[in-house]
């Protein structure tokens, strides 16, 4: 009975958010409470279950909050502006260099894990060059999407945070082991950029652009990436770069808990870049909406997983799922999860997949002696397909800015995005991140 109610709860949750009957935030809170009541649990018990789930994901929520604020401050201060100027000047009139430069820029900007920011900055910086050289605008839509598909796997990007919250694990267990696979994914994106660049170079040739035209393009487009030049802190560029590099090193070495690292880095960045109290308040307010939307979702997910776990529904569901899986396939679950994560994350929202499906798969795998962390890692390897999903809102902004057709973009990019996931899955297997 518990297994049936658990599967029904997940199905209702997925239906409500995919049909847009409820927002994911509301569904994560309301649906499990309703099903816990149906299961016969009292309000006091349900309240304790909700708190238990929230306590377990609190560190992840704190990490996300300050990661969003930190990278927001870095964007405001103009950390990436010199890079944009340099890329525009280096690529000049060579379509190959322009497209590879687009891939590099999109990859670095995507460090903040936000698709909207990545697309806005990349397209704003590069679109004038694409138009001047006659490069197909479709490529400017495809390359940033491929880059974001890999970089969206950062702990503050969304999917990894969801995995850590539902499996109650930290960044060292889920994200750090996947870094080599991500590096391989980024290398694949650069290879694709080279292939597309060579095609455009063959079609267009190398076009000479005067230095004054390049300076005009670089200066105008960098200025357009921010609301006001008053926020820029060019004198602090090296400080901000070193602080960000130190933060990345800390992420890998885990010499401090990740939430405390981001809190400390954000406090330093905000104070050094914007020492005036009013400026600090304005920067926090500017990024509050994005931070609130993400963090509130994580805490709501704590309620969902708390009830799913404490009612023992997830144990019953896992037992049922195990009974359906042939013994010959049980030991291959990490690979199966990695491969199926591509269609799952394309047709489902991240909320539906990571909050509804992954916990069940992890518990089922545990019955075969497989570490749930392997399932968590495997589940994020399909993200290059997720950024193409009709449910991924940021792509509509990208397509609109570039001026290309949605259906044609899907046809053009699908094989390249599939290749990104396959490369990462292969490297994950070779490095032992997931087992076969």
């Amino acid at each position: 009975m518990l297994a049936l109610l658990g599967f029904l709860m997940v199905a209702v949750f997925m239906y409500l958010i995919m049909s847009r009957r409820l927002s994911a935030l509301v569904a994560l809170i309301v649906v499990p409470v309703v099903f816990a009541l149906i299961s016969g649990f009292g309000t006091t018990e349900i309240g304790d279950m909700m708190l238990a789930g929230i306590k377990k994901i609190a560190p992840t929520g704190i990490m996300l909050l300050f990661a969003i604020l930190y990278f927001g401050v870095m964007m405001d201060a103009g950390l990436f502006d010199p890079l944009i100027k340099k890329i525009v000047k280096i690529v000049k009139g060579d379509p190959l260099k322009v497209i590879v430069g687009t891939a590099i820029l999109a990859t670095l900007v995507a460090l903040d894990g936000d698709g909207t920011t990545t697309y806005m900055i990349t397209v704003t910086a590069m679109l004038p060059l694409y138009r001047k050289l006659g490069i197909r605008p479709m490529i400017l839509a495809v390359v940033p999407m491929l880059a974001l598909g890999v970089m969206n796997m950062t702990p503050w990007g969304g999917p990894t945070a969801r995995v850590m919250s539902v499996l109650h694990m930290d960044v060292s267990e889920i994200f750090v082991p996947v870094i080599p696979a991500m590096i391989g994914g980024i290398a694949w994106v650069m290879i694709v950029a080279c292939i597309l660049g060579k095609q455009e170079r063959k079609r267009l040739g190398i076009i000479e652009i005067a230095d004054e035209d390049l300076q005009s393009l670089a200066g105008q487009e960098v200025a357009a990436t921010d609301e006001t030049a008053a926020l820029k802190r060019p004198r602090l560029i090296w400080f901000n770069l070193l602080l960000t590099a130190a933060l990345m090193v800390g992420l890998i070495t885990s010499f401090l808990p990740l939430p405390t690292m981001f809190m400390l880095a954000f406090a330093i960045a905000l104070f050094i870049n914007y020492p005036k109290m009013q400026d600090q308040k304005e920067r926090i307010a500017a990024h509050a909406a994005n931070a609130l939307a993400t963090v509130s979702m994580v805490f709501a997910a704590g309620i969902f997983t708390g009830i799913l776990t404490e009612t023992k529904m997830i144990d019953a569901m896992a037992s049922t799922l195990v009974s359906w899986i042939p013994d010959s396939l049980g030991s291959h679950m990490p690979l199966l999860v990695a491969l199926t994560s591509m269609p799952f994350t394309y047709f489902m929202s991240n909320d539906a997949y990571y909050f509804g499906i992954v916990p069940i798969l992890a518990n089922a795998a545990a019955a075969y002696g497989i570490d749930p962390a392997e399932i968590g890692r495997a589940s994020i390897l399909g993200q290059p397909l997720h950024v193409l999903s009709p449910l991924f809102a940021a792509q509509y902004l990208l397509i609109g800015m570039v001026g290309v057709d949605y259906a044609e973009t899907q046809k053009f990019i699908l094989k390249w995005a599939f290749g990104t996931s396959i490369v990462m899955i292969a490297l994950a297997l070779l490095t032992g991140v997931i087992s076969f």
Side-chain angles (χ1 to χ4, degrees):
M1 186 62 180
L2 275 178
L4 177 61
L5 286 171
F7 284 120
L8 187 59
M9 183 175 88
V10 172
V12 169
F13 167 72
M14 291 168 55
Y15 168 75
L16 289 173
I17 64 173
M18 294 181 72
S19 64
R20 300 188 181 277
R21 296 291 195 281
L22 289 178
S23 67
L25 178 64
V26 174
L28 283 167
I29 298 170
V30 173
V31 172
V33 170
V34 170
F35 273 86
L37 290 170
I38 293 173
S39 302
F41 292 93
T43 54
T44 301
E45 293 175 293
I46 294 173
D48 291 339
M49 294 174 188
M50 296 166 73
L51 282 176
I54 291 171
K55 289 176 181 177
K56 288 181 180 178
I57 56 86
T60 299
I62 294 168
M63 181 272 291
L64 279 175
L65 171 63
F66 285 94
I68 292 168
L69 293 175
Y70 176 82
F71 282 108
V73 168
M74 289 296 105
M75 293 293 181
D76 293 338
L79 176 61
F80 296 105
D81 287 358
L83 174 66
I84 294 173
K85 287 184 178 181
K86 191 69 175 178
I87 288 175
V88 171
K89 290 179 180 179
I90 289 175
V91 299
K92 293 188 176 180
D94 187 344
L96 172 59
K97 292 180 180 178
V98 170
I99 295 170
V100 172
T102 302
I104 294 171
L105 177 61
T107 299
L108 292 173
V109 176
L111 270 171
D112 75 339
D114 181 64
T116 301
T117 302
T118 300
Y119 294 156
M120 286 185 67
I121 291 177
T122 305
V123 173
T124 302
M126 304 304 293
L127 186 57
L129 266 178
Y130 275 69
R131 287 174 175 167
K132 192 170 186 68
L133 298 177
I135 300 173
R136 287 178 293 167
M138 178 66 73
I139 295 174
L140 184 54
V142 166
V143 171
M145 290 174 78
L146 292 175
L148 182 66
V150 178
M151 300 307 292
N152 198 39
M153 294 164 59
T154 56
W156 48 88
T160 304
R162 288 172 171 87
V163 171
M164 290 190 297
S165 65
V166 298
L167 299 184
H168 310 304
M169 295 181 179
D170 61 30
V171 67
S172 64
E173 296 172 285
I174 300 295
F175 174 69
V176 173
V178 179
I179 290 176
M182 286 182 65
I183 294 172
I186 294 167
W188 168 258
V189 172
M190 299 303 162
I191 291 170
V192 173
C194 287
I195 293 171
L196 298 176
K198 287 181 178 179
Q199 292 175 355
E200 291 300 281
R201 179 195 272 176
K202 182 178 180 181
R203 185 174 70 88
L204 299 169
I206 298 177
I207 301 170
E208 294 295 329
I209 302 178
D211 287 342
E212 57 267 23
D213 291 339
L214 282 171
Q215 291 173 3
S216 175
L217 283 171
Q220 290 175 3
E221 297 313 317
V222 169
T225 62
D226 240 316
E227 296 177 2
T228 171
L231 296 176
K232 304 297 184 183
R233 297 293 185 265
R235 294 182 179 179
L236 294 173
I237 185 69
W238 285 108
F239 172 82
N240 289 332
L241 184 60
L242 289 172
L243 180 62
T244 303
L247 185 59
M248 294 301 103
V249 171
L251 168 66
I252 295 172
T253 59
S254 298
F255 73 91
L256 279 177
L258 191 57
T260 59
M261 275 196 290
F262 268 110
M263 292 175 74
L264 183 60
F266 168 69
I268 294 171
L270 187 64
F271 175 73
I272 297 298
N273 286 276
Y274 305 101
K276 294 182 180 179
M277 186 71 70
Q278 184 60 33
D279 290 341
Q280 293 179 9
K281 290 180 179 179
E282 289 175 358
R283 290 306 87 220
I284 294 173
H287 304 288
N290 186 29
L292 177 62
T294 303
V295 175
S296 61
M297 194 78 70
V298 171
F299 282 109
I303 291 176
F304 188 93
T305 56
I307 289 177
L308 195 64
T309 302
E310 299 298 322
T311 57
K312 306 300 180 183
M313 284 184 190
I314 197 167
D315 294 332
M317 293 161 72
S319 299
T320 302
L321 193 60
V322 167
S323 68
W324 293 344
I325 299 174
D327 290 338
S328 58
L329 293 179
S331 60
H332 303 304
M333 278 196 68
L335 177 59
L336 293 175
V337 170
L339 293 172
T340 57
S341 69
M342 289 186 278
F344 271 137
T345 56
Y346 181 86
F347 290 108
M348 293 182 184
S349 68
N350 275 340
D351 297 320
Y353 179 60
Y354 290 107
F355 296 143
I357 302 298
V358 170
I360 300 172
L361 295 174
N363 275 44
Y368 294 97
I370 297 170
D371 188 348
E374 282 195 53
I375 301 301
R377 296 172 204 143
S379 70
I380 63 176
L381 296 175
Q383 278 302 299
L385 274 293
H386 174 71
V387 299
L388 317 183
S389 169
L391 303 172
F392 190 73
Q395 70 171 315
Y396 299 112
L397 169 68
L398 172 65
I399 290 168
M401 290 181 71
V402 177
V404 293
D405 179 71
Y406 173 80
E408 290 300 316
T409 304
Q410 292 281 310
K411 292 177 184 177
F412 191 94
I413 194 175
L414 196 59
K415 62 181 179 182
W416 302 118
F418 178 78
T420 308
S421 277
I422 292 299
V423 167
M424 291 198 295
I425 291 170
L427 285 172
L429 287 168
L430 289 173
T431 55
V433 171
I434 61 173
S435 58
F436 174 66

